[in-house]
């Protein structure tokens, strides 16, 4: 019993609050410690039953020593039956729990079903549906998350992204602005609001937002990429080249950056550099039709000249 108790606390201490963790309660942390519970409980159960199970005793002679010993059917049968019953019940519970763990959606739906005021559960469901492109469901869950926790920076940010995906730019800016107000150093919110302003054609504001995001997070490759796109929209070719090059420096496997950089090179008349970038984009993404069309067009034009 002492061994089982020590096993429980020692194995659990590895994931104790000594080391900060995001999910304070998570069932997988109990898998290994639960072995100690089983050892302690099983030993205690057998010990108690053996002490009290004196009925139905059978005498058995030991032929070698001439002495007799006794054992109790009850002391053996009862713990066996209890163990079998526990195994059956826990197997059913484990099978039922496995249906919950089939996917992220079923897991978080189980969370909010059992804890209706769990803002994080609604937020995570909204984020999952947003990534799946189901924006209506994402908005529904994220709005519920904000009703339960109005100061959630991530929920405001993701709800803004969901509204932007539907083309509701003004309300998207409102939620992204709230996220920035709640957390002024939140680089992702500046990046996302920059995308929305670009969608509205307000490229100067968009550029300012991307620059703030990059000041907060200098290795933000996507911010450099979209900054390059904004510069292209304003006709600032040299600035766009610099932004795309920074994107590629941070993420060499960014096919869109290579393709767009090729387009800017082509604008400046740097045909060979443009061809190289289009080819790199196709190598990274063989089914990239835009890059393929650009490459075929510029090769055809070059052969014609």
């Amino acid at each position: 019993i002492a061994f089982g108790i020590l096993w429980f606390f020692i194995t659990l201490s590895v994931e104790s609050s000594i080391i900060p963790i995001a999910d304070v309660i998570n069932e997988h942390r109990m898998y290994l410690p639960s072995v100690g519970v089983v050892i302690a409980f099983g030993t205690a159960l057998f010990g108690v039953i053996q002490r009290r199970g004196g009925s139905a005793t059978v005498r058995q002679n030991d032929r070698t020593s001439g002495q007799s010993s006794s054992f109790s059917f009850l002391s053996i049968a009862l713990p066996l039956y209890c163990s079998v019953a526990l195994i059956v019940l826990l197997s059913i519970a484990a099978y039922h729990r496995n249906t919950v763990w089939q996917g992220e959606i079923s897991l978080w739906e189980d969370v909010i079903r059992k804890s209706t005021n769990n803002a994080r559960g609604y937020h995570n469901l909204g984020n999952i549906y947003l990534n799946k492109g189901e924006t209506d469901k994402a908005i529904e869950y994220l709005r519920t998350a904000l009703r339960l926790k109005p100061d959630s920076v991530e929920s405001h940010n993701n709800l803004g992204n969901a509204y932007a995906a539907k083309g509701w730019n003004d309300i998207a800016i409102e939620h992204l602005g709230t996220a920035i107000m709640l957390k002024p150093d939140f680089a992702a919110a500046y990046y996302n609001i920059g995308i929305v302003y670009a969608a509205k054609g307000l490229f100067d504001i968009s550029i300012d937002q991307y620059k703030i995001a990059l000041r907060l997070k200098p290795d933000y490759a996507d911010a450099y990429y979209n900054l390059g796109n904004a510069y292209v929209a304003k006709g600032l070719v040299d600035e766009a080249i610099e932004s795309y090059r920074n994107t590629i420096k941070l993420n060499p496997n960014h096919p869109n950056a290579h393709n767009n950089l090729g387009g800017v090179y082509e604008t400046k008349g740097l045909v060979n550099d443009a061809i190289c970038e289009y080819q790199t984009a196709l190598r990274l993404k063989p089914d990239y039709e835009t890059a393929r069309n650009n490459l075929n067009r510029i090769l055809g034009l070059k052969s014609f000249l």
Side-chain angles (χ1 to χ4, degrees):
I1 294 173
F3 174 81
I5 294 172
L6 285 173
W7 177 283
F8 175 82
F9 284 107
I10 291 173
T11 54
L12 190 61
S13 67
V14 176
E15 297 184 276
S16 69
S17 57
I18 296 173
I19 301 174
I21 47 180
D23 299 316
V24 181
I25 301 175
N26 213 324
E27 61 190 73
H28 70 265
R29 294 203 177 95
M30 290 301 298
Y31 292 163
L32 189 58
S34 65
V35 174
V37 176
V38 172
I39 293 172
F41 178 79
T43 304
L45 178 65
F46 274 80
V48 169
I49 293 176
Q50 285 176 351
R51 286 178 180 273
R52 298 187 177 180
S55 59
T57 300
V58 175
R59 306 292 296 182
Q60 181 181 23
N61 292 325
D62 189 330
R63 295 180 180 179
T64 59
S65 63
Q67 297 178 346
S68 63
S69 61
S70 65
F71 66 92
S72 170
F73 283 127
L74 182 60
S75 65
I76 296 176
L78 186 55
L80 178 62
Y81 295 152
C82 289
S83 299
V84 171
L86 280 173
I87 290 172
V88 172
L89 291 174
L90 292 175
S91 297
I92 294 172
Y95 177 81
H96 176 72
R97 188 62 181 164
N98 283 339
T99 61
V100 173
W101 280 88
Q102 285 180 346
E104 289 182 313
I105 292 177
S106 60
L107 176 62
W108 289 108
E109 283 180 343
D110 181 69
V111 169
I112 63 173
R113 184 167 55 249
K114 294 174 179 175
S115 180
T116 55
N117 293 324
N118 189 309
R120 185 183 178 192
Y122 288 101
H123 168 83
N124 287 344
L125 273 172
N127 196 37
I128 292 167
Y129 281 117
L130 179 61
N131 292 332
K132 288 169 63 70
E134 299 182 34
T135 52
D136 289 331
K137 287 185 177 181
I139 289 170
E140 177 187 352
Y141 284 114
L142 289 168
R143 289 179 64 178
T144 304
L146 283 173
R147 178 175 55 80
L148 296 170
K149 190 178 180 182
D151 60 346
S152 173
V153 175
E154 291 288 349
S155 293
H156 277 292
N157 179 68
N158 290 357
L159 183 56
N161 290 339
Y163 282 131
K166 289 183 68 68
W168 300 352
N169 294 325
D170 291 333
I171 191 169
I173 289 173
E174 178 183 339
H175 281 283
L176 291 168
T178 302
I180 291 170
M181 181 184 65
L182 291 170
K183 189 178 180 182
D185 61 345
F186 190 18
Y190 289 102
Y191 166 75
N192 291 329
I193 203 170
I195 293 175
V196 180
Y197 279 124
K200 288 172 66 68
L202 302 173
F203 295 107
D204 288 328
I205 301 176
S206 175
I207 288 170
D208 290 338
Q209 300 304 309
Y210 293 140
K211 286 182 176 179
I212 296 172
L214 286 167
R215 186 171 68 247
L216 294 169
K217 187 180 178 183
D219 60 345
Y220 207 156
D222 287 338
Y224 273 118
Y225 170 73
N226 280 282
L227 179 60
N229 293 342
Y231 281 136
V232 169
K234 287 184 63 65
L236 301 174
V237 176
D238 291 331
E239 290 84 350
I241 289 175
E242 182 182 359
S243 295
Y244 289 138
R245 283 176 175 173
N246 285 327
T247 305
I248 293 168
K249 184 187 301 182
L250 292 168
N251 182 9
N253 298 322
H254 198 305
N256 292 338
H258 285 285
N259 176 73
N260 291 7
L261 180 56
V264 181
Y265 280 145
E266 190 176 351
T267 301
K268 287 182 68 70
L270 303 173
V271 177
N272 291 331
D273 290 333
I275 291 173
C276 181
E277 294 301 329
Y278 292 145
Q279 289 175 336
T280 303
L282 280 171
R283 178 174 55 80
L284 295 171
K285 188 179 179 182
D287 60 345
Y288 198 170
E289 287 301 321
T290 302
R292 188 179 305 281
N293 292 336
N294 288 336
L295 180 61
N296 291 335
R297 174 179 49 75
I298 196 171
L299 288 175
L301 181 61
K302 187 177 180 182
S303 63
F304 174 76
L305 294 175

